[in-house]
Amino acid sequence: MLVLSGKEVATKVRSEVQQECTRFKQETGHIPCLAVVLVGDDPASTTYVASKGKACEEMGFDHRDYRLPADTTEDHIVQLVEQLNADPLVDGILVQLPLPAHLSEKRITNTIRDDKDVDGLHPINIGRLLLGDPSFVACTPAGVMRILDHYQIETSGKEVVVVGRSNIVGKPMAALLMQKGRDATVTICHSRTADVGEHTRKADILVAAIGKPLAITADMVKEGAVVIDVGINRVEDASRKRGYRLVGDVDYDAVAPLSSAITPVPGGIGPMTIAMLMENTLIAAKMHV
Ligand code: GUN
């Protein structure tokens, strides 16, 4: 069994982006800049946003963080996004999800200019992906593809089962895998699938993006499968100083021995998401000069 180290691949991607950024800045005088908007103080989101800022600094990017109270109005956020859209110094805009319940994720992500949508969530970018001509691709599924490429895991003709149908992971993941050139046979399972295990047991490559700790158990996995765990769940753990530990959507200890390759949590897909965000931000900056 091979452990697919997102941490290692992410380090490689970050170092490539950093080098390319140095070259780009010398050539153009433009500094790539990512604006991150965080509404409310969800602890996991706060941690992610801090990591994104740190990564920008490592790349040599500028970044702007907008931290808004949980009761901020939708109009206020839309106005902020419109300001960032119009600002020539800002290349990428990311509104951290999930948003508080009173805010329309759809209205806000639709406001982001498609050439600044480094999250790949704007309808134009989702449409381009579906049509086989992707521009910005959502960072987590892009990170999964990069890991498969790095470890030369073949997708052509494989049965791939994606568990989860979110706009940010499940749907773009399926679109990427079924693309010409990737050529996987893709099944998507979700919360209303009658028997998830019946599908997952057929998977050559299984992608778990459910958001539920340890939801994929050993009896749901075919021997020799490649298992990609997108979940990052906090579970209480009094033995840890911070009071919790991170676990994936896959019961790693039980599933790893069955699999031919598997991503751990932490150190798997999580670091890839940020690395791909850095790559997307540099691509955006190149579009803007
Ligand atoms: N929340 C969890 N992952 C992501 C992500 O990739 N982008 C945004 N905007 N919010 C997230």
Side-chain angles (χ1 to χ4, degrees):
M1 181 267 297
L2 175 67
V3 177
L4 306 172
S5 173
K7 204 171 147 189
E8 268 176 45
V9 182
T11 301
K12 179 168 173 266
V13 172
R14 280 163 76 139
S15 134
E16 286 164 3
V17 172
Q18 186 192 40
Q19 281 172 35
E20 180 63 10
C21 176
T22 305
R23 199 197 57 73
F24 173 76
K25 287 196 291 192
Q26 277 166 358
E27 191 182 295
T28 65
H30 180 84
I31 304 172
C33 176
L34 175 66
V36 178
V37 181
L38 172 61
V39 188
D41 54 4
D42 174 75
S45 291
T46 306
T47 308
Y48 296 149
V49 166
S51 308
K52 289 168 186 176
K54 244 176 76 184
C56 283
E57 284 163 23
E58 185 191 306
M59 296 305 103
F61 297 172
D62 279 341
H63 67 100
R64 297 195 203 161
D65 289 348
Y66 298 86
R67 309 214 166 187
L68 306 173
D71 61 358
T72 305
T73 64
E74 198 171 287
D75 285 344
H76 184 92
I77 298 166
V78 166
Q79 269 169 28
L80 170 61
V81 170
E82 282 169 348
Q83 260 174 41
L84 297 169
N85 281 343
D87 188 335
L89 296 178
V90 171
D91 295 302
I93 304 169
L94 179 145
V95 178
Q96 186 66 28
L97 304 176
L99 287 163
H102 69 285
L103 299 172
S104 160
E105 201 174 293
K106 187 155 106 181
R107 179 171 170 223
I108 291 166
T109 50
N110 288 11
T111 304
I112 298 172
R113 235 171 72 175
D114 67 284
D115 63 330
K116 297 194 177 190
D117 172 38
V118 288
D119 246 342
L121 292 176
H122 190 281
I124 288 192
N125 287 321
I126 301 262
R128 286 177 177 140
L129 171 61
L130 271 178
L131 293 170
D133 183 24
S135 178
F136 292 114
V137 176
C139 304
T140 302
V144 172
M145 298 313 288
R146 190 61 63 89
I147 285 216
L148 295 176
D149 287 343
H150 179 86
Y151 288 98
Q152 298 179 323
I153 293 168
E154 182 59 73
T155 53
S156 179
K158 302 293 180 192
E159 292 287 336
V160 180
V161 177
V162 178
V163 190
R165 57 175 157 182
S166 67
N167 292 333
I168 197 163
V169 183
K171 286 183 199 170
M173 189 77 256
L176 283 164
L177 288 159
M178 72 172 77
Q179 250 178 17
K180 268 221 158 67
R182 298 297 190 173
D183 304 318
T185 303
V186 182
T187 303
I188 301 201
C189 298
H190 49 76
S191 52
R192 301 289 163 166
T193 299
D195 183 349
V196 175
E198 189 187 328
H199 298 281
T200 58
R201 276 189 288 277
K202 293 184 187 143
D204 301 311
I205 301 174
L206 174 58
V207 181
I210 310 156
K212 213 174 121 198
L214 315 179
I216 303 293
T217 48
D219 60 302
M220 298 168 80
V221 179
K222 180 169 85 174
E223 185 143 10
V226 172
V227 180
I228 305 290
D229 191 351
V230 172
I232 304 177
N233 307 289
R234 292 181 174 203
V235 298
E236 265 186 56
D237 185 343
S239 73
R240 303 287 173 104
K241 204 164 74 190
R242 55 188 182 180
Y244 66 88
R245 71 192 144 88
L246 295 179
V247 301
D249 291 348
V250 175
D251 182 356
Y252 185 91
D253 292 340
V255 169
L258 281 171
S259 68
S260 61
I262 186 166
T263 60
V265 178
I269 300 304
M272 290 306 298
T273 298
I274 295 187
M276 301 319 285
L277 176 65
M278 298 299 109
E279 192 173 276
N280 279 352
T281 304
L282 182 58
I283 292 170
K286 288 182 173 178
M287 282 173 155
H288 295 143
V289 294

